[in-house]
Amino acid sequence: MRNIIDFQKDWYFSKKYISGMERDCSLDDMESVQIPHTNVELPYHYFNESEYQIVSCYKKKFRCPQLSDNNVLRIRFEGVMACAKVYLNGVFIGEHLGGYTPFSFEIQNVVKEHEDNFLTVVVDSTERPDVPPFGGVIDYLTYGGIYREVYLEILEPLFIENVKAEATDVLNPVKGIKLDVYLDNRIGKTAVNADIKATLTDLSGETIADVSETVLVEPGKQCSTIAIKDLKNIQLWDIENPVLYWVNVEINYANQIDNFTTRFGFRDCNFTSEGFFLNGKKVKIVGLNRHQSYPYVGYAMPKRVQQKDADIIKYELCCNLVRTSHYPQSVHFLDRCDEIGLLVFEELPGWQHIGDENWKNIALNNIQEMIERDWNHPSIIVWGVRINESLDDDCFYERTNKLARNLDSTRQTGGVRYIDNSNLLEDVYTMNDFVHSGNNIGLRKQQDVTGLTYDVPYMVTEYNGHMFPTKKADNEERQMSHVLRHLKVQDASWADDSISGAIGWCAFDYNTHSDFGAGDMICHHGVMDMFRIPKFAAFTYGSQISPEVKPVLEPVTYWARGERSETTVLPLVVLTNCDWITLQFGDFKPIPVYEKSKEFKHLPYPPFIIDTSTITIEQISQWGMKWEDGVITGYVGDKPVKTVMMAANPVPSKLLAMADDYKLSAGEKDATRVIIKLVDKYDRPLPFINAIAKLELSGPARIQGPTEVILTGGSTGFWVESEGTYGEINIAIACQGLRADPIKILVE
Ligand code: GAL
């Protein structure tokens, strides 16, 4: 049986690689670390980008597990940024170029049995111009290090390299699965007969069907196809009900058994010139772009935190799609998208720049590695096979499209451009349409972009972003404009049936190069900040969900008479899925507002925009009058479902602290986020407070980043990282004389 051994612990790290280190068995002067690891922890902002662009060295001492005669022993890396040279006992094993895709090397011929082995990985995290995405400037940081998992794999001499599971007859009552089983036969020089068994089970492990066959396996690599047919009562995977199944393939030769298990779903997806269809049903795509980066540790966040991002995008931002801009992201993130029904647009690494032939070949490799890693994720509905926002290069893009289609005939291709009249070599014209600048149309008609005289499958892959960067603590007028811009583009997408949907730039703020951003190494383009704390614009997405799922009521205001330019909180945009609302000012009678904004009428849940034509309480806008508390209540039918109270005189009254998880897993590096808010008596954060929160932690964990943090917009966050030891973590947080309820997290 294959044996997969976790290789995350007991690594040694040196920030500086010195030539010859791969031949040196000494671990002195090296720091003990665990994977996932970042080569340099960075400040939150204002830092020198060359800090992490270094060549560093990782080492691991290990004993070889028991091997039988012709076992294959492999070391697998899920992602090393950006180039890795791997040595075992001083012998060069292999090199991988590119930081976003997995790779593995065989070591059975070099490994020493019964004595210590020294694995060395020389990690080049500089921006080598010969390797995508580098060669030009890029608007994000790539960080560095062995930032995804490492495994040691012991395989039988006849083993399964990969399995591609394709659902057939998905929309028929009787369905099937076609399994391409990629085999590698190292037994000898002649072909052998082996038994293959494929089993489909549901997630509880109950067998639904199985099929067995004997196949003739030639020496070396071959692909054998088997089919599981006549599948009845199979549930489809979709956004609301993402049903998953397990497929297990087993190969048996002379009682040496290898098996490969993959999760999979039955679903049919199709971009057409009339929009996007999932299982034959039209779905308007509402999405946001995600960078996989975090404060301080860059890309090196463990599984739980990767999964949480998918949950935030699905459940807080209520999107149905995420684009993994601009590279393949963690399998944990994608697994979670499968589990919760969040569609994915995945693309190859790159940003505007296309390099020479060698560079293009690496890009093609990256596509292959991406598709072969991810082809069984039902959440992925399209492959991005163009370098984001590059110019046309028909010769190159004919190759990328051909490769993607050969590898996976079930998904359409797309490729993100920002140029008009670009040659359509993909199945879907995917366009960054930044036309909206505040006082104009939300999106262009597709034919104005494509230059074609007929409609094609079309999707908008970015809008807003650099057009209107907005910080979480920016003033109220800017927050409102930020909100209106997101509403405007989404409304335009809903209004046009030929647009499959629109994916905003972007979900979360991200660190970037000094050529971009606000001068502090951050692009404040997110609808959430880097801690994933919402700005008001987050609720343009978060309010587009049935109030039966959750009522949302978010007035876009700090509720102060003198914050905006003209002594008023009007017009007041209220992002909500309620049928109608009331606004009460002080002791005045609540005023009902029934009419939703006509400007955004195509949205499932248009906002209310309260202005002087809806409201007659003069004091609201009268400089020199008494300012009062405000109360907004949202109703569904005649039932009040949500109330927001806004204090006329907010003062710090409570320090709130919430962890995403109160249990972490022992035995591995794990982490969870804690959010802190300094709030008034109505639990609303104090938007302009400049306060320092002091964090104290005891137990088997650490706080990533500093232990004194500044609240921006009344809130901030941090991640608690455990190294795998069992125990109790206690965190005390104090700010402005207030203490949050202590946080206790168990590592078990
Ligand atoms: C796009 C680009 C993104 C980001 C965005 C900012 O041109 O694809 O990566 O830079 O602009 O709005």
Side-chain angles (χ1 to χ4, degrees):
M1 277 300 222
R2 75 171 48 200
N3 185 1
I4 299 178
I5 300 165
D6 255 358
F7 241 37
Q8 329 308 339
K9 285 200 191 142
D10 305 324
W11 284 83
Y12 288 83
F13 172 69
S14 162
K15 230 177 122 176
K16 194 166 163 47
Y17 165 70
I18 300 163
S19 174
M21 267 176 128
E22 63 277 13
R23 289 187 299 276
D24 182 356
C25 298
S26 154
L27 301 171
D28 296 348
D29 303 328
M30 293 186 89
E31 186 192 340
S32 152
V33 300
Q34 249 192 75
I35 309 297
H37 182 255
T38 195
N39 62 359
V40 174
E41 290 209 0
L42 295 164
Y44 169 67
H45 57 173
Y46 289 112
F47 53 82
N48 185 342
E49 60 200 55
S50 63
E51 275 182 50
Y52 69 87
Q53 291 172 23
I54 54 172
V55 182
S56 62
C57 182
Y58 289 78
K59 274 178 186 272
K60 185 172 168 64
K61 182 167 93 172
F62 69 98
R63 282 288 171 126
C64 178
Q66 181 77 40
L67 298 180
S68 45
D69 265 0
N70 38 11
N71 274 147
V72 172
L73 187 66
R74 231 173 27 180
I75 178 107
R76 177 179 165 94
F77 295 84
E78 291 292 328
V80 178
M81 184 59 72
C83 299
K85 277 193 184 155
V86 181
Y87 301 82
L88 185 63
N89 303 326
V91 179
F92 176 67
I93 300 295
E95 180 177 25
H96 184 261
L97 305 178
Y100 295 103
T101 44
F103 56 95
S104 43
F105 299 123
E106 289 182 19
I107 56 174
Q108 67 274 9
N109 296 333
V110 184
V111 79
K112 294 180 192 161
E113 290 192 63
H114 319 299
E115 55 184 298
D116 286 339
N117 286 279
F118 286 88
L119 182 70
T120 306
V121 189
V122 180
V123 179
D124 184 350
S125 307
T126 63
E127 301 199 344
R128 275 176 54 169
D130 57 328
V131 177
F134 310 120
V137 289
I138 47 172
D139 171 22
Y140 52 95
L141 302 186
T142 53
Y143 309 95
I146 306 183
Y147 75 100
R148 289 184 186 156
E149 287 83 352
V150 187
Y151 302 100
L152 188 69
E153 303 172 320
I154 308 168
L155 304 165
E156 298 296 348
L158 171 54
F159 64 92
I160 301 167
E161 177 65 54
N162 202 347
V163 171
K164 177 167 66 166
E166 286 181 7
T168 51
D169 303 312
V170 177
L171 299 183
N172 291 344
V174 184
K175 308 185 207 314
I177 313 177
K178 177 175 156 278
L179 295 169
D180 285 339
V181 184
Y182 292 83
L183 297 167
D184 202 336
N185 174 5
R186 309 291 182 77
I187 293 167
K189 293 206 163 59
T190 49
V192 295
N193 274 314
D195 298 323
I196 291 196
K197 182 175 179 191
T199 313
L200 178 73
T201 62
D202 64 18
L203 286 197
S204 73
E206 185 138 337
T207 300
I208 291 166
D210 57 32
V211 52
S212 299
E213 271 176 35
T214 302
V215 285
L216 184 69
V217 192
E218 300 291 342
K221 294 180 195 281
Q222 92 176 39
C223 176
S224 297
T225 299
I226 35 178
I228 309 182
K229 294 185 186 139
D230 296 326
L231 295 170
K232 301 192 183 97
N233 302 319
I234 291 286
Q235 283 185 277
L236 294 179
W237 181 97
D238 71 21
I239 293 170
E240 279 82 38
N241 191 22
V243 180
L244 293 166
Y245 293 88
W246 288 111
V247 173
N248 182 268
V249 182
E250 211 174 80
I251 187 144
N252 183 342
Y253 169 72
N255 285 333
Q256 293 178 330
I257 299 171
D258 185 37
N259 72 317
F260 188 105
T261 302
T262 180
R263 218 169 45 172
F264 153 89
F266 293 81
R267 57 111 187 85
D268 176 83
C269 55
N270 196 13
F271 287 89
T272 75
S273 53
E274 279 101 49
F276 172 71
F277 292 81
L278 181 65
N279 300 329
K281 248 178 41 205
K282 190 163 178 168
V283 173
K284 181 62 82 175
I285 286 171
V286 179
L288 286 164
N289 284 273
R290 174 203 186 224
H291 269 303
Q292 62 174 17
S293 55
Y294 296 85
Y296 321 118
V297 299
Y299 283 168
M301 272 297 190
K303 175 172 166 187
R304 183 188 305 277
V305 184
Q306 303 285 345
Q307 292 176 328
K308 178 70 188 177
D309 266 6
D311 283 4
I312 292 172
I313 295 168
K314 166 101 183 182
Y315 297 117
E316 277 186 56
L317 296 170
C318 302
C319 289
N320 55 25
L321 181 139
V322 59
R323 173 171 166 230
T324 64
S325 50
H326 301 293
Y327 38 78
Q329 300 190 352
S330 152
V331 285
H332 305 305
F333 178 74
L334 297 173
D335 280 345
R336 189 65 188 154
C337 293
D338 289 344
E339 286 164 8
I340 62 179
L342 179 62
L343 304 171
V344 178
F345 178 147
E346 191 172 42
E347 68 191 356
L348 81 164
W351 204 85
Q352 294 195 349
H353 166 80
I354 304 179
D356 61 12
E357 268 319 292
N358 269 341
W359 191 102
K360 288 179 188 171
N361 287 335
I362 301 174
L364 283 154
N365 249 351
N366 287 169
I367 292 182
Q368 177 149 0
E369 289 163 336
M370 165 178 85
I371 295 180
E372 288 180 346
R373 188 192 69 166
D374 290 335
W375 51 23
N376 295 333
H377 288 284
S379 57
I380 298 177
I381 55 166
V382 57
W383 301 119
V385 299
R386 271 181 187 248
I387 300 299
N388 171 63
E389 293 191 333
S390 52
L391 298 179
D392 278 350
D393 180 338
D394 286 4
C395 199
F396 179 40
Y397 290 135
E398 270 159 18
R399 287 172 73 200
T400 61
N401 272 285
K402 191 166 162 210
L403 175 66
R405 289 179 183 130
N406 280 346
L407 288 166
D408 177 11
S409 59
T410 68
R411 288 180 181 85
Q412 289 161 300
T413 59
V416 172
R417 68 264 281 162
Y418 67 164
I419 46 168
D420 296 352
N421 306 331
S422 147
N423 297 337
L424 180 59
L425 305 169
E426 294 74 29
D427 303 311
V428 192
Y429 198 109
T430 42
M431 176 72 185
N432 290 351
D433 187 356
F434 288 109
V435 69
H436 183 59
S437 59
N439 282 318
N440 59 342
I441 53 166
L443 289 172
R444 286 178 286 166
K445 291 268 156 225
Q446 64 150 290
Q447 291 184 22
D448 295 340
V449 172
T450 62
L452 301 169
T453 52
Y454 50 91
D455 280 352
V456 293
Y458 183 87
M459 174 162 64
V460 174
T461 34
E462 289 180 37
Y463 54 87
N464 288 348
H466 64 283
M467 302 297 288
F468 207 74
T470 303
K471 301 180 189 71
K472 195 178 82 200
D474 272 348
N475 68 44
E476 182 169 313
E477 280 160 306
R478 190 167 186 96
Q479 302 288 349
M480 183 174 74
S481 304
H482 193 213
V483 160
L484 294 176
R485 283 171 186 244
H486 278 273
L487 288 172
K488 183 77 184 181
V489 180
Q490 275 297 327
D491 184 77
S493 166
W494 280 93
D496 187 336
D497 275 344
S498 82
I499 299 181
S500 292
I503 311 167
W505 191 266
C506 55
F508 316 125
D509 292 350
Y510 54 97
N511 284 133
T512 189
H513 290 90
S514 51
D515 315 280
F516 304 89
D520 63 346
M521 308 294 286
I522 297 180
C523 266
H524 298 266
H525 295 177
V527 297
M528 292 181 151
D529 71 4
M530 280 173 60
F531 300 100
R532 285 66 175 150
I533 301 176
K535 304 172 189 175
F536 285 107
F539 297 96
T540 60
Y541 300 87
S543 58
Q544 303 302 311
I545 187 166
S546 162
E548 282 167 24
V549 180
K550 65 168 175 189
V552 179
L553 183 65
E554 190 65 34
V556 184
T557 180
Y558 300 137
W559 198 252
R561 184 182 278 132
E563 213 295 281
R564 295 196 195 179
S565 315
E566 290 171 34
T567 316
T568 181
V569 288
L570 304 181
L572 175 55
V573 179
V574 181
L575 299 164
T576 183
N577 50 8
C578 294
D579 295 341
W580 57 285
I581 57 172
T582 58
L583 170 64
Q584 184 174 11
F585 181 75
D587 291 334
F588 287 81
K589 239 177 99 199
I591 298 171
V593 187
Y594 298 109
E595 205 179 330
K596 298 196 168 207
S597 162
K598 290 205 181 66
E599 205 191 333
F600 305 109
K601 63 171 187 281
H602 301 100
L603 290 172
Y605 298 97
F608 292 93
I609 301 186
I610 305 172
D611 57 21
T612 43
S613 69
T614 17
I615 211 155
T616 47
I617 306 170
E618 261 183 24
Q619 272 99 325
I620 283 192
S621 306
Q622 203 67 57
W623 194 246
M625 309 273 305
K626 188 170 176 344
W627 185 242
E628 304 268 9
D629 284 2
V631 182
I632 299 182
T633 304
Y635 292 80
V636 173
D638 53 11
K639 220 172 115 216
V641 290
K642 181 129 194 178
T643 298
V644 174
M645 319 250 286
M646 300 170 293
N649 179 21
V651 290
S653 71
K654 251 186 288 175
L655 184 64
L656 302 179
M658 288 117 340
D660 288 339
D661 307 272
Y662 291 88
K663 279 192 183 142
L664 294 179
S665 303
E668 63 189 88
K669 195 180 227 189
D670 199 355
T672 190
R673 178 184 63 158
V674 176
I675 298 284
I676 319 169
K677 290 184 191 168
L678 190 57
V679 296
D680 65 18
K681 62 179 175 185
Y682 298 137
D683 284 354
R684 283 174 65 84
L686 301 157
F688 302 121
I689 198 144
N690 290 321
I692 294 175
K694 295 197 172 170
L695 323 173
E696 272 173 46
L697 179 145
S698 62
R702 66 164 191 132
I703 286 165
Q704 292 178 348
T707 49
E708 288 196 353
V709 290
I710 309 271
L711 272 57
T712 23
S715 58
T716 192
F718 61 91
W719 280 266
V720 180
E721 180 188 289
S722 64
E723 291 270 324
T725 317
Y726 287 84
E728 192 179 294
I729 305 168
N730 286 292
I731 305 164
I733 305 169
C735 179
Q736 296 233 327
L738 295 167
R739 286 195 160 271
D741 287 344
I743 290 190
K744 182 163 104 185
I745 298 172
L746 295 178
V747 188
E748 53 177 42

